[in-house]
Amino acid sequence: QVQLVESGGGLVQPGGSLRLSCAASGSIFSINVMRWYRQAPGKERELVASITSGGSTNYGDSVKGRFTISRANAKNTVDLQMNSLKPEDTAVYYCNLRDVLTSRDYWGQGTQVTVSS
């Protein structure tokens, strides 16, 4: 079993920055993909960014150039640096781990990010 715990959400003004962190624990296969998703009220969950265990990254169009995903394999952590935040970035952000061996997905409990003046 794998557990994911997110931290770092909060309230920030437009144009500000926040850094989200996610720590994974448990039986983690070394080859995996870690992702950040978000879900705003009344909207579907959308992919924000992903990073493979090899370091390849991918970003949603709405966050390209503003958000940066990174990971520390030795610590099983993934971070999301969010800059130039906009009100439309307001959502609950979820950490996800995809075990490549089993194709099983694991989810964190989510952390609220609110961008408002």
Side-chain angles (χ1 to χ4, degrees):
Q1 196 61 280
V2 175
Q3 296 80 40
L4 301 174
V5 178
E6 301 108 334
S7 61
L11 173 65
V12 64
Q13 292 187 343
S17 298
L18 277 177
R19 188 176 185 89
L20 304 183
S21 295
C22 173
S25 61
S27 300
I28 301 169
F29 184 54
S30 60
I31 302 176
N32 57 67
V33 182
M34 298 192 79
R35 302 181 174 103
W36 286 97
Y37 285 81
R38 68 186 182 187
Q39 188 166 21
K43 295 188 177 181
E44 293 186 355
R45 190 172 294 189
E46 65 169 336
L47 176 66
V48 176
S50 66
I51 185 167
T52 68
S53 47
S56 297
T57 59
N58 186 46
Y59 296 91
D61 288 340
S62 61
V63 307
K64 283 181 181 176
R66 300 188 297 123
F67 290 11
T68 302
I69 190 171
S70 59
R71 65 185 288 167
N73 288 338
K75 298 180 179 179
N76 289 319
T77 58
V78 61
D79 291 344
L80 184 69
Q81 177 66 42
M82 305 186 293
N83 299 327
S84 303
L85 282 161
K86 306 175 181 180
E88 51 264 42
D89 293 318
T90 296
V92 178
Y93 284 70
Y94 296 92
C95 178
N96 165 270
L97 184 148
R98 166 67 65 88
D99 185 317
V100 173
L101 183 64
T102 64
S103 296
R104 183 169 180 177
D105 279 307
Y106 300 91
W107 294 90
Q109 79 285 357
T111 185
Q112 177 71 47
V113 171
T114 302
V115 184
S116 175
S117 55

